[in-house]
Amino acid sequence: MGKKIGAVYIGHKKVEFCVWAPFAKSLEVVLKNTQKAIALTKDDQGYWSKSINDVESGTLYKYRLNEQDEFPDPASLSQPEGVNSWSRVVDHSAHSWKDNSWKGRELSDMYIYEVHVGTFTSAGTFEAIIDKLDHLEELGINTIELMPISQFPGKRNWGYDGVYPYAAQDSYGGVSGLKKLIDACHDRGFSILLDVVYNHLGPEGNYISQYGPYFTDKYHTPWGSAINFDDEYSDFVRHHFIQNALMWLEDFHFDGLRLDAVHEIIDRGAKHFLKELSEKTDELEAKTGKKYVLIAESDLNDTKLIKDYSEGGFGLEGQWVDDFHHSLHTILTGEDAGYYVDFGKMEYLAKAFKQAFIYDGIYSSFRKRTVGNDPQGMTPSNFVICIQNHDQVGNRLLGERMAELVSFEKQKLAAATILSAPFVPMLFMGEEFGEKNRFQYFISHNDPDLVKAVQEGRKKEFEYFFHSHSDAVFPDPQAEETFKNSKLNWDFKQEEQKSQILGFYKELLKLKKQGAFDLFKDQNVNAEADEEKKILIVSAGDDNSAITGIYNFGSSSYSEEISDKDNLQVLISSADKKWGGEKEVEDLLNSGKITVPAEAVLIFRS
């Protein structure tokens, strides 16, 4: 079990072709330059393979099934002419890696920055990101997370409609550009993660079912039939996706993977696909001597994902925590539509600050059932939190970012909350300078019926919004303008407030790296909420010092008495004039009181 699938360039104009097609009666590889059709040989597991000479790197090819239809390779490494056309042979040895001394880093040491390649820079390529590493280093980021890059239709897409999991998007720069970016990241001390999608494939250019039972009708996901992880022939489907994950880590030198919506990876077998993936990644670590991290996106609040194998867990390093985002977002904006109805309480934010999960076995009125389990015993570095990400911004109808939804002061308050919390922080590109260009949902499909279905589906999803915002203009996902409007504006330094909030983020990240907020990681941290005043007070201490954070989400200033002003050290105050506030720090410490203005935060050590 477990052949190396795809077109593997061995060297000296020799390629090993291999594809799994258990029901095919015949299978040939067709080389475009010579129009030769060369028969492959089938083994008893359904793999068709053959080593073929006189095939150069860059050769275009397809597979012909049953002497009739021709399709691209489901394990194609490159689709230079798009998702419906020829696959291309890639020679991995063409890139000479320069990062042999790089060993990766633990998730607990990561400060993550989520990037959409196409909109992060004006050029929208892998190599263009290299020019922004100075900015990210100055900010204090050490890890970049790329949204999905597997080949998708057209030239603009979020990436979740990818149909070739092995192929790096050609319009971004393909294999060559991606490897240059990863080398540059490691040379500068940056880790780089990749968002991968193993719960579905996009609809356009999706020919994988022509080869075999890669999907099953036993289960259905929001995107249709589920990928076959536990039905008949599932061993070979699992191998297809596990080999893909290991390829990104070993052949492309990624430092880890973010696994999209794992609650839609449906597997009722004795060993879940995610556990098998985790075990295979461990084996790769032992082989390469490098550290890799696997981070799950899940809305189930189930610690099984991150628990150790010995406790019946899957052994993943971390998971995204929506609860923290939703709690903070609802308090900041007052929004309560949809799933936000389950949040909005100050006590929930206090709970999230202490243990990440709010729904830890309590009833959800939105889902109308009990959700989650108890995260006690898990370390804070198991949880990745954010105040913005591609989903929470882009899946709003208009794609408004936090900077458009809340005041300048609340932006700083949100930044301080996430970066002083004990978990692994993730920023969404541009949030550090208060970007107001909206990040909207965009596609570039070629099938007019599919385009129409996406447009109409998007409108239907947001019918409630149009009822209350009759003047709203629908951002057409297919329109190139929607994509262009989502690009970052890098001229932000001309605006004073954007420079001020960038400075505030830099200071927070510096403090976090220095361990200024480490006491908040203690399981005995005290977090108290005042619902009426909209105040969160977090405190922790040891034998040497204590730290207190006062987070004022209310519209009035908050004061409390202090006994020893002289031994109090302010770590950060969002109301400070140097961050665009209206107060000097000394003004907040008068007459035996400490005062925190409305929509502000003050964190101090004593």
Side-chain angles (χ1 to χ4, degrees), residues 262-263 265 267-275 278 296 298 300-319 357 372-376 378 382-383:
V262 299
H263 46 276
I265 296 175
D267 180 3
R268 294 177 180 165
K271 180 182 286 188
H272 195 282
F273 169 80
L274 292 174
K275 183 175 181 180
S278 186
S298 171
L300 300 179
N301 285 12
D302 186 356
T303 56
K304 179 169 63 178
L305 292 169
I306 50 178
K307 279 188 174 179
D308 190 73
Y309 305 137
S310 63
E311 299 179 80
F314 295 166
L316 306 180
E317 280 68 31
Q319 65 175 290
F357 289 172
N373 55 28
D374 190 348
Q376 294 300 315
M378 309 311 301
N382 286 132
F383 302 110

Side-chain angles (χ1 to χ4, degrees), residues 419-480:
L419 290 172
S420 62
F423 314 109
V424 177
M426 186 184 78
L427 311 185
F428 182 55
M429 58 176 194
E431 86 168 62
E432 74 277 13
F433 52 83
E435 176 63 273
K436 289 188 177 179
N437 280 0
R438 296 171 174 178
F439 183 74
Q440 299 179 324
Y441 183 72
F442 44 82
I443 57 172
S444 54
H445 291 309
N446 298 303
D447 180 346
D449 292 335
L450 179 58
V451 171
K452 184 178 179 182
V454 172
Q455 291 167 332
E456 292 180 350
R458 196 79 176 163
K459 285 181 178 178
K460 185 174 179 59
E461 181 182 355
F462 292 100
E463 278 179 342
Y464 72 90
F465 186 88
F466 287 114
H467 291 154
S468 57
H469 298 76
S470 57
D471 58 340
V473 177
F474 174 67
D476 180 2
Q478 181 74 5
E480 187 174 2

Side-chain angles (χ1 to χ4, degrees), residues 211-227:
Y211 290 89
Y214 284 85
F215 294 90
T216 174
D217 286 327
K218 276 175 63 176
Y219 319 113
H220 288 84
T221 73
W223 309 283
S225 296
I227 291 178

